[in-house]
């Protein structure tokens, strides 16, 4: 099976496989999950893996962790085609594609330095989300973020 | 018709029906705006919260309120800077909305009016939010066009800084609701952003672009002039050249349509030669007066008073 061939490291008993990540975005996925040097669980990352559907893709596998809604939303912004595979007892127990929310709050920093959401005012950034390609429109100043969305994640 | 929206933040919030409703009400109030006093808003207080200088917008709101028998609370710009030091706009709005029946706000940050609306217990009218919106200017422009020309089948040329000018963006947006034929006249450095042009076309406007002002003068009903700011040009000689090419003088008026009107949001620098002021085409001073009936209309609407 092709899935077998992808298993470059030991299988996970429990955890999450984030598959079909847009090639080049795996590091950003780790950043979203705040996985850095001091993280204690086993994490594997594969970049530029050949994929029939995508040409190339990235994969991130994390043991003993299931993702939160907010993390899934952020992943959808940088890789709307990513799939989430919940692994329980070595088996894929659940599988779904991340879903772009219609609106994201407190997740992205507006690119406009003069936007009210970038001041000391008690206001949370809010963006309307459009798909294909992903575009974020600030509801306060209407500036649109289309490129390097990962860099603007809070 | 009932207005669902209490706040006046952006032209994009309005349907054509709502705009027509506001313009109709302004027409009703225009005689009163020309002189007189009513008690439509007696006992009501309008707070003017200007964090940035303004002459026309602030004064015409004050006039509008006084003509309607109401009172104004003015946070002078000097006090504004000292009071506001350290205090957030959000707190200011929470406080001032307990003192007043509506707030007109001008603030340098984009989106500040929308945020104010989230914290205010009374209607917020956006009097300018940085490079964002200035809906009352657009409404008075539309009123001027309807009164002095016509909104249907309109041929309009908009001249000057079409890249940064917020007035122009929201005016063209509103005109698209009326299917106007819009010619954008600007130097290449100041062309309207593609995104906005695409938006306008999608909404039903006919939009064309040229660098050459003289080429369009004879085929329009409205010539809408705007200021070209020196700061936009790193090279002063380049600025002089451009400013000269987009200046209107009486010599340009020889072959224009008889009823063509010239508008300008003011203040002008030298885009319109002062000799044009006395021509039958000039309407920029009327335009600035129409800010009063438009703001009277808005004040009665947001305060829920029938006229
Ligand atoms: N126990 C496990 N440990 C680590 N990775 C696993 C485990 N089980 C599955 N995976 C990985 O999870 C992903 C989904 O597994 P699945 O068996 O559903 O593969 P698939 O049939 O190729 O699915 P898809 O159609 O989503 O690509 C694959 O990348 C697979 O390598
Ligand atoms: Mg697969
Ligand atoms: Zn913004």
């Amino acid at each position: 099976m092709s899935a077998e061939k992808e298993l470059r490291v030991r299988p996970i008993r429990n955890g999450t496989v984030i598959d079909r990540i847009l090639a080049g975005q795996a590091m950003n996925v780790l950043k979203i999950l705040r996985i850095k040097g001091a993280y204690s669980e086993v994490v594997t990352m594969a970049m530029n893996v050949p994929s029939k559907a995508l040409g190339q893709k990235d994969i991130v596998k994390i043991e003993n962790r299931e993702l939160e809604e907010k993390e899934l939303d952020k992943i959808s912004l940088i890789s709307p085609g990513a799939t989430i595979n919940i692994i329980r007892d070595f088996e894929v127990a659940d599988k779904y594609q991340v879903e772009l929310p219609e609106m994201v709050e407190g997740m992205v920093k507006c690119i406009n330095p003069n936007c009210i959401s970038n001041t000391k005012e008690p206001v949370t950034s809010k963006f309307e989300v459009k798909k294909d390609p992903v575009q974020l429109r600030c509801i306060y100043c209407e500036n649109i973020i289309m490129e390097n969305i990962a860099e603007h994640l809070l | 018709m009932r207005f669902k929206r209490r706040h006046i933040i952006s032209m994009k919030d309005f349907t054509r029906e709502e705009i027509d409703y506001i313009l109709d009400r302004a027409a009703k109030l225009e005689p009163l705006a020309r002189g007189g006093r009513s008690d439509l808003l007696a006992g009501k207080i309008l707070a003017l919260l200007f964090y940035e200088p303004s002459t026309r917008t602030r004064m015409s709101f004050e006039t509008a309120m006084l003509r309607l028998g109401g009172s104004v609370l003015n946070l002078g710009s000097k006090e504004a800077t000292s009071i506001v030091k350290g205090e957030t706009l959000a707190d200011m709005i929470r406080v001032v909305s307990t003192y007043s029946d509506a707030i007109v706000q001008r603030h340098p940050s984009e989106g500040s009016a929308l945020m104010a609306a989230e914290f205010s217990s009374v209607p917020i009218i956006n009097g300018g939010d940085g490079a964002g919106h200035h809906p009352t200017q657009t409404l008075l422009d539309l009123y001027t066009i309807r009164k002095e020309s016509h909104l249907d089948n309109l041929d309009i040329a908009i001249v000057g800084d079409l890249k940064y000018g917020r007035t122009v963006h929201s005016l063209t947006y509103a005109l698209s609701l009326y299917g106007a034929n819009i010619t954008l006249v600007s130097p290449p450095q100041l062309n309207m952003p593609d995104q906005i042009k695409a938006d306008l076309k999608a909404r039903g406007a006919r939009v064309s672009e040229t660098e050459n002002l003289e080429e369009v003068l004879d085929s329009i009903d409205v010539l809408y002039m705007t200021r070209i700011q020196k700061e936009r040009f790193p090279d002063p000689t380049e600025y002089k050249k451009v400013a000269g090419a987009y200046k209107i003088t009486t010599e340009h008026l020889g072959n224009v349509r008889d009823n063509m009107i010239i508008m300008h949001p003011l203040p002008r620098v030298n885009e319109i030669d002062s000799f044009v002021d006395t021509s039958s085409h000039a309407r920029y001073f009327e335009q600035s007066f129409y800010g009063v009936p438009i703001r009277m209309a808005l004040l009665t609407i947001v305060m829920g008073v029938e006229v």
Side-chain angles (χ1 to χ4, degrees):
Chain A
M1 262 186 58
S2 71
E4 303 269 313
K5 286 183 204 155
E6 278 175 11
L7 297 177
R8 288 159 197 249
V9 278
R10 70 182 177 118
I12 296 179
R13 176 185 293 277
N14 293 304
T16 301
V17 174
I18 310 162
D19 196 1
R20 304 193 179 198
I21 299 169
L22 191 66
Q25 294 297 325
M27 297 290 266
N28 288 326
V29 169
L30 294 183
K31 217 166 104 194
I32 289 169
L33 303 177
R34 310 216 186 273
I35 293 173
K36 293 182 217 150
Y39 197 71
S40 60
E41 294 292 347
V42 175
V43 177
T44 48
M45 178 182 83
M47 284 165 65
N48 304 321
V49 178
S51 150
K52 277 204 189 96
L54 305 171
Q56 284 191 323
K57 65 175 180 179
D58 289 0
I59 308 172
V60 170
K61 305 187 180 190
I62 314 152
E63 277 187 44
N64 298 319
R65 175 156 169 191
E66 293 191 10
L67 307 190
E68 287 165 19
E69 187 90 20
K70 198 166 168 175
E71 294 167 333
L72 294 171
D73 284 348
K74 285 187 182 176
I75 293 170
S76 77
L77 296 180
I78 61 165
S79 183
T83 58
I84 306 297
N85 299 272
I86 310 293
I87 310 296
R88 288 194 188 117
D89 213 7
F90 297 108
E91 297 292 326
V92 177
D94 196 6
K95 180 198 292 282
Y96 51 88
Q97 195 176 326
V98 293
E99 209 179 318
L100 270 176
E102 281 174 12
M103 186 85 120
V104 289
E105 274 194 54
M107 256 179 236
V108 178
K109 183 175 156 59
C110 183
I111 45 171
N112 172 11
N114 205 40
C115 177
I116 196 73
S117 70
N118 283 326
T119 63
K120 60 173 184 177
E121 296 296 333
V123 55
T124 322
S125 76
K126 288 191 198 79
F127 291 81
E128 271 168 26
V129 183
K130 276 208 209 146
K131 21 190 124 188
D132 306 317
V134 179
Q135 288 190 12
L136 304 176
R137 184 192 182 92
C138 173
I139 70 146
Y140 290 102
C141 74
E142 295 172 23
N143 268 277
I144 293 174
I145 306 179
M146 295 177 69
E147 278 154 28
N148 306 323
I149 290 175
E151 283 170 28
H152 306 289
L153 292 175
L154 286 168
Chain B
M1 196 181 94
R2 270 188 69 86
F3 244 78
K4 290 201 197 70
R5 244 163 261 107
R6 293 190 314 148
H7 306 290
I8 309 288
I9 307 294
S10 156
M11 279 317 292
K12 294 198 173 160
D13 300 333
F14 292 96
T15 62
R16 178 173 162 167
E17 288 67 37
E18 287 173 322
I19 294 172
D20 288 335
Y21 178 80
I22 297 168
L23 301 186
D24 287 344
R25 181 170 293 203
K28 258 195 222 170
L29 292 166
E30 191 190 315
L32 191 55
R34 290 191 182 277
R37 195 183 170 104
S38 78
D39 54 9
L40 280 167
L41 295 185
K44 302 274 190 197
I45 296 173
L46 176 67
L48 298 161
L49 212 51
F50 280 71
Y51 287 73
E52 278 190 326
S54 153
T55 316
R56 269 160 293 276
T57 304
R58 191 172 51 76
M59 288 184 73
S60 63
F61 265 111
E62 284 192 47
T63 301
M65 196 60 187
L66 297 177
R67 295 266 191 232
L68 291 165
S71 318
V72 295
L73 273 183
N74 219 323
L75 174 77
S77 56
K78 243 200 212 143
E79 296 93 286
T81 40
S82 61
I83 293 171
V84 158
K85 232 176 246 160
E87 184 171 34
T88 60
L89 173 64
D91 279 3
M92 190 62 144
I93 290 291
R94 281 191 275 225
V95 170
V96 173
S97 65
T98 66
Y99 300 161
S100 57
D101 299 291
I103 298 172
V104 179
Q105 175 188 303
R106 173 170 291 184
H107 187 278
S109 298
E110 283 97 71
S112 51
L114 184 60
M115 187 206 73
E118 293 170 5
F119 287 95
S120 179
S121 56
V122 299
I124 296 287
I125 301 176
N126 186 5
D129 59 334
H133 297 282
H134 190 7
T136 66
Q137 175 70 45
T138 300
L139 287 165
L140 77 87
D141 290 343
L142 295 172
Y143 187 79
T144 307
I145 295 171
R146 192 175 86 165
K147 179 96 202 275
E148 303 289 338
S149 183
H150 49 88
L151 277 169
D152 293 310
N153 297 312
L154 178 71
D155 296 316
I156 184 171
I158 304 180
V159 185
D161 179 354
L162 308 185
K163 186 171 184 182
Y164 303 99
R166 69 176 168 202
T167 318
V168 167
H169 298 167
S170 87
L171 176 61
T172 51
Y173 166 77
L175 288 171
S176 70
L177 300 176
Y178 292 87
N181 180 17
I182 304 170
T183 307
L184 302 169
V185 186
S186 60
Q189 317 72 321
L190 296 177
N191 279 352
M192 181 168 281
D194 290 338
Q195 166 98 28
I196 300 183
K197 276 182 287 189
D199 240 40
L200 292 175
K201 287 179 192 160
R203 290 175 200 277
R206 287 162 289 160
V207 181
S208 54
E209 261 180 316
T210 176
E211 267 183 70
N212 188 344
L213 173 60
E214 300 191 14
E215 160 188 305
V216 300
L217 284 174
D218 304 347
S219 53
I220 50 173
D221 304 310
V222 175
L223 176 63
Y224 194 102
M225 301 291 295
T226 66
R227 198 151 46 104
I228 292 181
Q229 282 168 302
K230 229 189 216 139
E231 306 87 88
R232 307 284 183 219
F233 294 84
D235 175 3
T237 54
E238 182 65 20
Y239 165 73
K240 275 218 172 101
K241 212 176 87 194
V242 168
Y246 297 93
K247 176 176 178 159
I248 191 100
T249 68
T250 48
E251 276 143 52
H252 290 108
L253 303 176
N255 294 316
V256 302
R257 291 180 184 167
D258 285 345
N259 51 6
M260 187 273 271
I261 64 165
I262 304 171
M263 296 172 61
H264 191 297
L266 304 180
R268 64 175 154 175
V269 182
N270 44 25
E271 310 76 52
I272 305 177
D273 189 276
S274 61
F275 286 108
V276 175
D277 299 356
T278 50
S279 86
S280 64
H281 303 287
R283 287 295 187 287
Y284 25 95
F285 295 117
E286 284 82 352
Q287 179 186 357
S288 126
F289 162 69
Y290 291 140
V292 179
I294 275 293
R295 287 164 179 137
M296 288 168 79
L298 290 170
L299 291 171
T300 58
I301 288 169
V302 301
M303 294 191 200
V305 171
E306 286 305 319
V307 171

